[in-house]
């Protein structure tokens, strides 16, 4: 396909991704210099279509970007009024009091929001500043000039299933810039390419991830408690995996119900989606949801490596922002504020470089700001919580992690130093022979649902004639390696039912099991790219506009 000729457009800055990081960068660039040419490309059908987050928002980033956001009508209004934390057992729960927790863990003064709607509002602010925003434009390639990143290819559409141009083929365009800011979110394909090409993770710990699944429920108005935040740990995961839940009460009798499973679990029979469905049958949760109805579902991976896993962020001509850089604060369960702060910092560095007549070099000022400014102050004190949990389990990590955070909060010094993560989440997967299958109850269709039913509530759509965007490096590995060694965990770790092992007598290999990829179900969570024990699945972008269409996640 290298012979394809594409039109080219020149900008000062090209931004990939219409989440909080990319939108903050676009707005800040125009605030600094209204004459800059700024374009933002979003693969979703509209801004917010692919945004999924808890979310309790720390407004630190928003306060810095648009101080008068309240007067401008930002959809940030449900202030946290009650903050609960429980350890669950199969039939009961124990509330952990708030007073032993470090102040950084408090959610008071924060806001329960739909980040999809916040991003839609940020896009309005950006467009008012004359940022060019193009939704439905998936960025499928980076454009290089020598060693520098010079732009991206966006908007290629109409390929047939075999990868050749079909009758309605559109080659897309090259959008070139003095700097390219990559804000794709977790495990984006362009960010992954940059990290590998420039060896950006050298000297840093491997990134760690969780799988976050979320439903929006409309509940009985008598049970609604707007502003109430509840987090849980313990049942049903127990010792099988780290993770926990969130339950956030929005206005309008809506409750955001989410469940996170850390992807470094060992048992390949673990079924994260079914753990989420089982969680809703806990008496405390079932009582809240009974009589209500689920109105939306979605899933996405979450970066959990924290401070020690942040890669080098700047390469010649490009920089990594937000979740592409891995800026989530795991114990706080927050990353949107850091995403916005990273966008602001990258924009200021790029604007200063352009004002100085530079182009295509490394934005070293951005890297320095991130590693010494407010993002560093947020992430460094909590850097040991995740590795402690992974290595020691729930209760020791609560005690030691709490001690480490308290001392860091009071003195700025972590007495435990910096713990390492060690293995990647793929390497953490154990052999099936060492574990027993887990018997999960069937969904009842009232509180719990099968995957395909729930995927319908993500409003996911893919043009089925296009090439499969989930690429197998070796098509033989799922059946020849993953099935005998790991019971092919793709059948279970995918929260959208994309991967199946079918017994097919018509299999071209002469019968026996066959690996099937139902890419049309994909909600773009990237779990397969992360957790596949053979690292055989490469998630790439489908054509623009495809994927989930989240209304207000």
């Amino acid at each position: 396909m290298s012979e394809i000729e594409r039109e080219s457009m020149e900008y000062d800055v090209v931004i990939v991704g219409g989440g909080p990081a990319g939108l903050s960068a676009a707005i800040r660039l125009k605030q600094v210099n209204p004459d800059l040419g700024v374009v933002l490309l979003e693969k979703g059908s509209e801004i917010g279509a692919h945004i999924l987050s808890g979310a309790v928002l720390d407004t630190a980033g928003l306060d810095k970007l648009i101080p008068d956001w309240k007067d401008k009508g930002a959809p940030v209004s449900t202030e946290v009024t009650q903050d609960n934390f429980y350890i669950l057992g199969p039939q009961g729960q124990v509330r952990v009091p708030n007073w032993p927790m470090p102040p950084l863990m408090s959610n008071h003064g924060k806001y329960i929001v739909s980040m999809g709607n916040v991003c839609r509002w940020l896009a309005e602010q950006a467009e008012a500043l004359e940022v060019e925003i193009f939704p439905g434009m998936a960025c499928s390639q980076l454009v290089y000039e020598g060693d520098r990143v010079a732009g991206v290819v966006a908007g290629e559409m109409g390929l047939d299933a075999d990868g050749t141009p079909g009758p309605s083929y559109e080659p897309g365009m090259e959008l070139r810039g003095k700097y390219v800011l990559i804000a794709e979110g977790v495990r984006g394909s362009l960010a992954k390419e940059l990290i590998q090409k420039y060896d950006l993770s050298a000297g840093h710990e491997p990134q760690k991830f969780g799988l976050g699944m979320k439903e929006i429920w409309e509940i009985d108005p008598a049970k609604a408690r707007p502003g109430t935040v509840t987090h849980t740990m313990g049942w049903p995961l127990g010792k099988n995996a780290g993770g926990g839940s969130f339950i956030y009460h929005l206005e309008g009798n809506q409750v955001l119900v989410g469940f996170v499973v850390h992807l470094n679990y060992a048992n390949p029979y673990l079924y994260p989606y079914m753990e989420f469905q089982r969680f809703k049958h806990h008496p405390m949760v079932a009582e809240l949801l009974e009589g209500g109805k689920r109105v939306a579902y979605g899933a996405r991976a979450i970066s959990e490596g924290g401070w020690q896993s942040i890669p080098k962020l700047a390469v010649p001509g490009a920089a990594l922002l937000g979740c592409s850089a891995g800026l989530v604060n795991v114990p706080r369960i927050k990353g949107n504020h850091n995403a916005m702060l990273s966008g602001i910092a990258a924009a200021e560095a790029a604007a200063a470089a352009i004002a100085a007549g530079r182009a295509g070099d490394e934005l070293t000022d951005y890297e320095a700001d991130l590693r010494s400014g407010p993002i560093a102050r947020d992430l460094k004190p909590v850097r040991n919580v995740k590795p402690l949990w992974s290595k020691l389990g729930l209760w020791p990590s609560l005690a030691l992690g709490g001690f480490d955070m308290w001392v860091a909060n009071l003195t700025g010094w972590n007495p435990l130093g910096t713990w390492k993560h060690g293995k990647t989440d793929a390497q953490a997967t154990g052999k099936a022979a060492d574990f027993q299958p887990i018997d999960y109850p069937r969904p009842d269709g009232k509180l719990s649902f099968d995957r395909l039913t729930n995927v319908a509530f993500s409003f996911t759509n893919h043009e089925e004639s296009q090439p499969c965007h989930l690429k197998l490096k070796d098509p033989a590995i799922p059946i020849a390696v993953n099935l005998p060694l790991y019971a092919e965990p793709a059948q279970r770790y995918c929260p959208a039912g994309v991967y199946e092992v079918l017994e097919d007598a018509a299999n071209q290999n002469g019968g026996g099991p066959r690996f099937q990829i139902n890419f049309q179900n994909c909600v773009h969570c990237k779990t397969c790219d992360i957790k596949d024990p053979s690292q055989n699945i490469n998630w790439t972008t489908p054509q623009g506009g495809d994927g989930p269409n989240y209304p207000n996640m």
Side-chain angles (χ1 to χ4, degrees):
M1 305 274 304
S2 59
E3 70 280 1
I4 291 174
E5 293 186 5
R6 295 183 171 93
E7 294 183 15
S8 178
M9 294 182 67
E10 297 283 343
Y11 292 89
D12 290 304
V13 180
V14 176
I15 300 170
V16 180
L23 287 163
S24 296
I27 290 169
R28 191 60 170 164
L29 283 161
K30 284 292 196 176
Q31 289 173 337
V32 173
N33 182 354
D35 294 328
L36 289 173
V38 180
V39 64
L40 184 147
L41 306 162
E42 163 57 36
K43 66 181 173 69
S45 60
E46 64 170 356
I47 296 293
H50 289 179
I51 296 295
L52 187 147
S53 184
V56 173
L57 179 66
D58 179 338
T59 61
L62 191 56
D63 293 337
K64 186 171 183 179
L65 183 69
I66 306 175
D68 58 344
W69 54 267
K70 286 186 179 179
D71 296 335
K72 290 187 173 180
V76 180
S77 58
T78 306
E79 188 169 357
V80 175
T81 56
Q82 188 168 353
D83 201 1
N84 305 314
F85 183 72
Y86 291 94
I87 305 292
L88 299 187
Q91 294 298 322
Q93 65 276 345
V94 175
R95 181 174 178 184
V96 178
N98 294 61
W99 62 263
M101 300 184 188
L104 60 87
M105 295 291 289
S106 174
N107 284 302
H108 288 281
K110 314 302 186 290
Y111 291 83
I112 303 171
V113 301
S114 157
M115 278 310 296
N117 290 338
V118 171
C119 287
R120 291 180 178 96
W121 179 82
L122 286 171
E124 293 173 2
Q125 311 312 302
E127 289 179 324
L129 295 170
E130 299 186 346
V131 173
E132 295 185 38
I133 296 179
F134 297 132
M137 292 283 278
C139 297
S140 53
Q141 298 177 44
L142 289 163
V143 176
Y144 296 96
E145 286 182 357
D147 192 45
R148 67 158 287 204
V149 177
V152 297
V153 173
E156 185 177 31
M157 302 180 77
L159 291 172
D160 283 340
D162 62 0
T164 60
S168 59
Y169 177 68
E170 294 287 342
M173 297 184 65
E174 285 190 2
L175 294 104
R176 293 171 168 263
K178 296 181 175 74
Y179 296 99
V180 178
L181 304 182
I182 305 296
E184 298 171 296
V186 173
R187 197 76 167 194
S189 54
L190 301 187
K192 192 168 80 163
E193 179 180 330
L194 287 180
I195 290 169
Q196 292 174 346
K197 177 180 175 65
Y198 294 94
D199 198 18
L200 302 183
S201 290
H204 305 277
E205 284 295 292
Q207 187 58 262
K208 306 292 285 184
F209 299 92
L211 169 59
M213 297 156 285
K214 176 181 173 182
E215 295 172 355
I216 301 178
W217 281 70
E218 291 180 357
I219 62 169
D220 181 344
K223 301 176 183 178
R225 301 289 185 269
T228 297
V229 164
T230 298
H231 293 107
T232 77
M233 300 166 72
W235 190 89
L237 291 174
K239 294 182 178 180
N240 281 325
S245 82
F246 60 84
I247 302 172
Y248 302 155
H249 288 247
L250 266 173
E251 296 173 346
N253 306 319
Q254 284 199 335
V255 174
L256 314 178
V257 183
F259 199 79
V260 177
V261 177
H262 299 173
L263 289 176
N264 62 348
Y265 62 83
N267 186 347
Y269 291 110
L270 189 81
Y271 196 161
Y273 174 84
M274 290 306 298
E275 296 286 353
F276 176 30
Q277 298 308 302
R278 184 160 62 166
F279 157 76
K280 290 182 292 177
H281 286 273
H282 188 277
M284 183 182 80
V285 185
E287 191 279 329
L288 174 68
L289 299 181
E290 282 172 355
K293 64 177 181 178
R294 159 220 49 184
V295 297
Y297 166 75
R300 62 163 290 181
I302 304 166
S303 61
E304 294 186 339
W307 178 252
Q308 52 270 63
S309 297
I310 298 174
K312 187 174 183 289
L313 298 169
V315 305
L320 302 177
L321 280 58
C323 284
S324 291
L327 305 182
V328 170
N329 184 314
V330 172
R332 296 185 69 201
I333 320 178
K334 292 177 179 60
N336 290 303
H337 63 301
N338 285 337
M340 297 183 73
L341 290 169
S342 74
I344 293 168
E348 291 174 346
I354 292 169
R358 291 159 42 205
D361 60 344
E362 290 192 15
L363 294 173
T364 54
D365 287 351
Y366 164 58
E367 182 113 23
D369 181 284
L370 192 143
R371 296 192 183 276
S372 62
I375 294 173
R377 291 191 292 273
D378 185 64
L379 295 180
K380 289 176 76 173
V382 304
R383 63 184 182 267
N384 290 320
V385 171
K386 168 65 175 173
L388 282 168
W389 195 344
S390 299
K391 295 176 186 298
L392 302 180
L394 174 59
W395 291 105
S397 71
L398 283 176
L400 280 175
F403 165 72
D404 195 53
M405 284 192 293
W406 257 115
V407 175
N409 182 76
L410 295 172
T411 68
W413 168 70
N414 286 78
L416 298 183
T418 300
W419 279 47
K420 295 183 177 182
H421 294 300
K423 296 178 180 178
T424 67
D425 293 331
Q427 292 167 342
T429 309
K431 302 288 176 54
D434 297 329
F435 296 91
Q436 294 296 318
I438 301 172
D439 183 23
Y440 290 99
R442 292 175 61 88
D444 66 358
K446 298 177 182 178
L447 291 177
S448 51
F449 312 95
D450 65 80
R451 278 185 300 190
L452 295 186
T453 298
N454 240 359
V455 168
F457 284 79
S458 70
F459 312 104
T460 293
N461 182 64
H462 291 86
E463 171 55 55
E464 294 189 27
S465 64
Q466 68 183 297
C468 176
H469 64 281
L470 303 160
K471 313 290 187 185
L472 298 181
K473 299 172 186 176
D474 182 346
I477 281 180
I479 300 303
V481 178
N482 284 358
L483 186 60
L485 290 183
Y486 306 102
E488 186 42 276
Q491 304 172 87
R492 292 173 291 278
Y493 61 57
C494 173
V498 169
Y499 302 100
E500 294 182 279
V501 174
L502 303 176
E503 292 293 337
D504 189 350
N507 189 344
Q508 62 182 0
N509 295 324
R514 175 172 61 89
F515 191 63
Q516 178 163 304
I517 302 176
N518 306 305
F519 76 86
Q520 63 272 19
N521 294 350
C522 178
V523 294
H524 299 195
C525 73
K526 325 287 178 52
T527 300
C528 55
D529 195 299
I530 295 161
K531 186 60 177 172
D532 177 52
S534 299
Q535 285 295 274
N536 188 49
I537 301 173
N538 184 32
W539 190 96
T540 64
T541 55
Q543 69 181 22
D546 287 4
N549 286 279
Y550 297 136
N552 55 346
M553 284 288 197

